[in-house]
């Protein structure tokens, strides 16, 4: 008999929601077969069975929230479908595998000798935080049903008792009006949508965000793309030349010129990133995700287009991994694909800035002493004013504008 356990996906993920069971009790299961989809704050994970046999029991229903390490199903080895005649009592009376679960994935777990001589199972991050705060791990109450202490448990230690004292329990009830379901359709927020909402509020409340604008004459880029797109596609095995590669290369060049735009605040320090991992915002049915294109300074136009196309497809197919979303130093978002003329994008996570692209619209502009109709795009740079001065933000956006209006210079930067 084998247990299906919620696996550890990343240090920051402690729970998930059962999105869909693809097998039902009594179904035959092959070793390595995908049997349940788990929705987490960042990605959807496919959980497989480590044993071949029959799915005997499902312990968590669709929509249930489950902790990492929790047992969510039982697979009975062999082909004995639903005939547990021999020893059902013995099987149920020996829940030893629940103790074995942490041994199945021991890599991120450390057994710590506490000051009270108890042996405590804790993650490395939890152990480090406990030492920094002078907290005895044995005194920490873990949320994990297997007893593993995680960094969230240590962080909450000592603060939890204050919560009941505030007693605002009646307020939410009074503030929640009755819903007339004949007039209002009630829709539960997905885990990912809740996470997006929380992160956006955190950025707004914890940064000194400001936005500066400019506009780009797209005439030369569009002309170059029109001339070269067929040759480009033939040379690069069908890869299409889009605008995103031009903007990405222009952003990298501007980041090199204005390094504080490629930085982040860590405590009382400014960390200047010497890499150029650019996040590209992708809209999905579940909300906005920002997969990261790595080392954009080392990629050519075709490699950037391939990377963006591949990540966008993975996002739409719900195949993104945690690694696809981590570590970006700057973000580009393109509201223009939906027709947005101008916006003030919100920064992504701990990054210091984000570039917003918008729709290309023909407008009359002055070219020398003449008025001409040109394809124009408004661009916006939202930035953290704590580390980026107005001079650098305006200079950054002006550099992007100049490179895109003179794409031959952009090619020289590659």
């Amino acid at each position: 008999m084998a247990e299906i356990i919620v696996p550890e996906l990343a240090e920051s993920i402690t729970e998930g929601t059962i999105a869909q069971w693809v097998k039902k009790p009594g179904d035959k299961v092959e070793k390595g077969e995908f049997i349940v989809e788990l929705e987490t704050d960042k990605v959807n994970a496919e959980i497989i069975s480590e044993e071949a046999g029959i799915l005997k029991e499902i312990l968590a229903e669709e929509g249930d929230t489950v902790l990492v390490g929790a047992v969510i199903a039982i697979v009975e080895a062999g082909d004995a479908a639903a005939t547990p005649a021999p020893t059902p009592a013995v099987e149920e009376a020996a829940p030893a595998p629940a103790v074995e679960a942490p041994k199945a994935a021991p890599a991120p777990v450390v057994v710590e000798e506490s000051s009270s001589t108890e042996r405590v199972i804790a993650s490395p991050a939890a152990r480090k935080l406990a030492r920094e705060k002078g907290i005895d791990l044995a005194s920490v109450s873990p949320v994990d049903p297997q007893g593993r202490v995680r960094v969230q448990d240590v962080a909450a230690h000592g603060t939890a008792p204050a919560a009941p004292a505030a007693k605002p329990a009646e307020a939410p009830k009074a503030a929640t009006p009755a819903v007339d379901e004949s007039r209002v359709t009630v829709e539960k927020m997905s885990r990912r949508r809740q996470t997006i909402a929380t992160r956006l509020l955190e950025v707004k409340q914890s940064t000194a965000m400001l936005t500066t604008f400019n506009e780009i004459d797209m005439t030369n880029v569009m002309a170059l793309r029109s001339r070269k797109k067929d040759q480009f596609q033939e040379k690069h095995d069908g890869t299409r030349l889009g605008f995103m590669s031009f903007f990405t290369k222009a952003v990298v060049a501007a980041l090199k010129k204005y390094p504080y735009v490629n930085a982040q605040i860590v405590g009382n320090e400014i960390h200047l990133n010497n890499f150029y991992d650019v996040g590209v915002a992708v809209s999905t049915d579940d909300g906005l995700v920002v997969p990261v294109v790595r080392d954009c300074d080392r990629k050519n136009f075709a490699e950037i287009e391939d990377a963006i196309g591949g990540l966008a497809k993975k996002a739409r197919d719900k195949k993104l991994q945690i690694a696809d979303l981590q570590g970006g130093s700057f973000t580009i978002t393109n509201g223009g694909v939906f027709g947005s003329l101008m916006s003030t994008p919100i920064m992504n996570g701990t990054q210091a800035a984000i570039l917003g692209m918008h729709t290309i619209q023909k407008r009359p502009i002055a070219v020398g002493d003449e008025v001409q109709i040109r394809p124009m795009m408004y661009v916006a740079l939202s930035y953290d004013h704590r580390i980026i001065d107005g001079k650098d933000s305006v200079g950054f956006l002006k550099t992007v504008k100049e490179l895109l209006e003179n794409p031959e210079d952009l090619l020289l930067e590659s």
Side-chain angles (χ1 to χ4, degrees):
M1 183 176 293
E3 296 175 333
I4 306 300
I5 297 172
V6 178
E8 291 197 11
L9 301 171
E11 183 64 38
S12 61
I13 295 179
T14 60
E15 63 181 24
T17 300
I18 302 295
Q20 178 187 13
W21 284 99
V22 297
K23 294 285 185 178
K24 60 182 184 295
D27 284 355
K28 186 175 180 180
V29 175
E30 300 294 337
K31 183 176 181 179
E33 186 175 7
F34 161 43
I35 64 171
V36 61
E37 181 180 8
L38 182 72
E39 181 187 9
T40 72
D41 294 347
K42 297 180 178 178
V43 296
N44 281 30
E46 296 180 350
I47 300 178
I48 64 172
S49 174
E50 298 292 343
E51 297 286 344
I54 303 299
L55 182 59
K56 181 181 179 182
E57 187 178 3
I58 287 177
L59 304 177
E61 300 298 328
E62 293 180 3
D64 287 354
T65 296
V66 291
L67 297 174
V68 168
V71 179
I72 56 175
I74 303 292
V75 172
E76 190 172 47
D79 297 321
T83 55
T87 54
V90 174
E91 290 288 350
E92 292 299 319
V99 180
E100 297 298 324
K103 296 181 182 178
V109 177
V110 175
V111 178
E112 174 82 1
E113 286 284 357
S114 74
S115 60
S116 57
T117 71
E118 295 183 32
R119 294 179 65 81
V120 179
I121 301 174
S123 70
R127 183 162 53 91
K128 180 175 181 292
L129 184 60
R131 285 176 178 169
E132 291 174 352
K133 290 192 169 187
I135 295 174
D136 183 356
L137 282 173
S139 67
V140 177
S141 299
V143 175
D144 191 325
Q146 304 297 333
R148 288 176 289 187
V149 177
R150 302 183 184 280
V151 68
Q152 293 87 347
D153 301 323
V154 177
H157 182 71
T159 61
K167 291 271 179 184
E170 299 302 320
K173 294 179 182 177
T176 305
V179 176
D180 182 351
E181 294 189 3
S182 67
R183 295 169 58 85
V184 177
T185 300
V186 178
E187 201 174 90
K188 184 178 179 180
M189 288 180 72
S190 68
R191 173 176 294 276
R192 191 157 307 136
R193 178 64 66 182
Q194 292 177 51
T195 301
I196 291 170
T198 300
R199 299 277 167 80
L200 292 177
L201 283 174
E202 286 174 354
V203 170
K204 291 278 285 184
Q205 294 166 359
S206 64
T207 64
M209 194 175 75
L210 195 63
T211 305
T212 187
F213 301 91
N214 213 317
E215 62 178 352
I216 298 173
D217 183 347
M218 298 292 289
T219 301
N220 293 335
V221 168
M222 293 175 71
L224 177 61
R225 179 172 175 264
S226 181
R227 289 197 311 270
K228 297 293 186 180
K229 64 180 182 180
D230 292 338
Q231 180 184 344
F232 184 92
Q233 190 166 351
E234 182 178 347
K235 180 179 178 181
H236 297 289
D237 300 322
T239 298
R240 299 179 63 183
L241 180 60
F243 291 123
M244 285 304 299
S245 53
F246 284 95
F247 273 85
T248 302
K249 297 300 283 187
V251 158
V252 169
L255 290 175
K256 289 180 178 179
K257 189 174 180 180
Y258 297 95
Y260 282 90
V261 183
N262 198 40
Q264 64 188 95
I265 292 178
V266 180
N268 293 322
E269 299 175 339
I270 296 175
H271 288 197
L272 299 167
N273 297 315
N274 298 318
F275 58 90
Y276 303 92
D277 292 353
V278 178
V280 179
V282 177
S283 179
T284 70
D285 292 340
D286 295 328
L288 198 70
V289 292
V290 188
V292 179
V293 181
R294 310 289 174 186
D295 300 318
C296 290
D297 56 323
R298 302 178 186 177
K299 286 182 167 62
N300 59 32
F301 281 70
E303 289 169 334
I304 290 173
E305 292 288 355
D306 280 340
I308 292 174
L311 289 169
K313 185 177 187 305
K314 287 175 71 174
R316 290 190 294 269
D317 295 341
K318 299 183 179 180
K319 300 293 185 183
L320 285 174
Q321 303 298 311
I322 294 293
D324 295 325
L325 302 168
Q326 293 179 329
S329 61
F330 185 87
T331 295
I332 301 174
T333 181
N334 185 5
V337 296
F338 305 111
S340 172
L341 184 62
M342 186 179 288
S343 68
T344 55
I346 297 179
M347 294 177 301
N348 181 29
T350 60
Q351 295 173 17
I354 180 173
L355 178 72
M357 299 168 55
H358 300 93
T359 192
I360 299 172
Q361 186 180 65
K362 288 186 177 181
R363 295 197 300 273
I365 64 165
V367 180
D369 293 330
E370 298 180 353
V371 175
Q372 297 183 10
I373 305 297
R374 294 290 185 97
M376 305 297 294
M377 176 193 286
Y378 287 119
V379 287
L381 181 76
S382 291
Y383 61 98
D384 191 340
H385 208 357
R386 293 178 301 167
I387 56 174
I388 301 174
D389 294 332
K391 175 186 172 184
D392 281 0
S393 65
V394 172
F396 174 91
L397 207 52
K398 186 179 177 184
T399 299
V400 172
K401 167 186 170 70
E402 290 171 347
L403 287 170
L404 288 165
E405 289 185 343
N406 300 278
E408 289 80 7
D409 294 345
L410 185 58
L411 293 173
L412 292 175
E413 289 281 346
S414 301

